[in-house]
Amino acid sequence: MGLRRLFGRGGDEDGRGAAEVDTRITSPVCMPGQPVDAEVVIRGGARGLAIDELALEVVVQALHWDGSPSEESVCDLSTSSWAERVAAGSEKRLAFRGRLPWETPVTEIGGQAVGAVVSVVTKLSWDSEAPVADTDLLHVTAPPLYEAVLGAFAEEGYRVDGSQVRDSYIPDAESQSGRYQTLFLTAPTLGADRFAELEVVLHQNAVGAMVYVRRADRSTFEWEDKPPARTFAAAHHEAGHVDFGPRVRDALRKLALLDG
């Protein structure tokens, strides 16, 4: 939960009694493809507060093709009421809801943070230049399919060691956002002869994910300039019922031949 007082909107000179806008994520678990709920608490302060276009947007920190940072929109949250007037000394609570796209980057896998930063940004207008009233980190948990696939990699000695979100399309892949998350997997005990570090992308939709596996190259950001990748498909309904080990081992074997 974040909180920012709107100084100059009804408080006295030192900010006491100022109006407040406080956004709270109320979903117990946030996951790609699933609903996310939030509540905005608006307090009128000493003089009251009028809001014409309250807007909530889910954003993610990403990297451009050249490695420079950017903030990209994931989705908007909606409510039945956008404009509100809150009287002095009173407060209103507005419920917001949306559904995270399947391509939303995850911020944690098995309780481990992976370095992605996803936030809910509350603004007092849809205009991008409007003042930000509140910013709240959104914890996006990996779905069971991620856990199952990455568990198979762990059996081969590869464990997640961070991630990067790229503001780019995967060539020849259907995408709604033009953005993907690269997971870095390390296996320090295997040595360089067996890819000591891998890049794995789970390009997910409602059916499952296409899993891309390649030798890691953290300093290169364009997909086409990176080392070649092998792929295999994994379906959501297979998670918890299918051993992905054979697919992972086959991809690693073919990757060694492909990468030379």
Side-chain angles (χ1 to χ4, degrees), residues 211-225:
V211 183
Y212 296 80
V213 188
R214 57 161 43 111
R215 175 171 53 84
D217 182 358
R218 297 196 187 213
S219 62
T220 301
F221 298 94
E222 282 281 8
W223 184 279
E224 294 89 340
D225 296 335

Side-chain angles (χ1 to χ4, degrees), residues 1-214:
M1 173 174 60
L3 174 62
R4 178 175 297 180
R5 286 183 179 273
L6 302 180
F7 293 108
R9 290 180 172 268
D12 54 24
E13 292 183 356
D14 62 1
R16 289 180 298 179
E20 300 175 352
V21 175
D22 181 14
T23 302
R24 303 169 180 179
I25 310 302
T26 56
S27 297
V29 177
C30 298
M31 191 176 293
Q34 301 301 316
V36 57
D37 297 300
E39 179 186 62
V40 180
V41 181
I42 308 170
R43 301 182 180 92
R47 299 181 184 177
L49 177 64
I51 297 176
D52 295 327
E53 295 180 284
L54 187 65
L56 270 71
E57 182 181 22
V58 179
V59 301
V60 61
Q61 302 299 315
L63 298 175
H64 285 309
W65 63 271
D66 59 355
S68 60
S70 67
E71 184 175 84
E72 303 297 325
S73 176
V74 174
C75 66
D76 297 318
L77 305 184
S78 60
T79 183
S80 59
S81 175
W82 303 105
E84 287 292 334
R85 294 184 179 275
V86 183
S90 66
E91 74 172 32
K92 285 189 177 181
R93 296 172 178 262
L94 300 178
F96 278 77
R97 189 168 221 232
R99 183 176 294 274
L100 293 179
W102 284 102
E103 297 174 21
T104 303
V106 300
T107 63
E108 54 187 55
I109 299 173
Q112 172 190 348
V114 294
V117 179
V118 181
S119 306
V120 174
V121 178
T122 305
K123 292 185 178 182
L124 301 184
S125 171
W126 284 109
D127 185 345
S128 61
E129 300 301 321
V132 173
D134 202 8
T135 299
D136 298 79
L137 291 177
L138 186 66
H139 299 283
V140 184
T141 301
L145 183 60
Y146 275 57
E147 302 275 1
V149 171
L150 295 173
F153 277 100
E155 290 295 323
E156 299 302 311
Y158 291 98
R159 300 188 181 278
V160 178
D161 184 30
S163 72
Q164 288 179 347
V165 179
R166 306 285 171 80
D167 176 29
S168 177
Y169 284 91
I170 299 175
D172 302 320
E174 293 186 6
S175 177
Q176 300 296 319
S177 67
R179 180 179 53 248
Y180 63 89
Q181 181 177 22
T182 295
L183 301 172
F184 297 105
L185 276 59
T186 58
T189 61
L190 296 182
D193 60 334
R194 170 110 188 266
F195 302 114
E197 186 175 39
L198 297 173
E199 291 184 11
V200 174
V201 175
L202 284 87
H203 187 58
Q204 184 176 222
N205 57 31
V207 176
M210 184 63 69
V211 183
Y212 296 80
V213 188
R214 57 161 43 111

Side-chain angles (χ1 to χ4, degrees), residues 238-249:
E238 294 179 305
H241 304 285
V242 173
D243 177 11
F244 289 110
R247 292 181 220 182
V248 167
R249 289 189 291 272

Side-chain angles (χ1 to χ4, degrees), residues 225-241:
D225 296 335
K226 283 182 167 292
R230 298 300 302 183
T231 63
F232 64 88
H236 288 297
H237 72 267
E238 294 179 305
H241 304 285

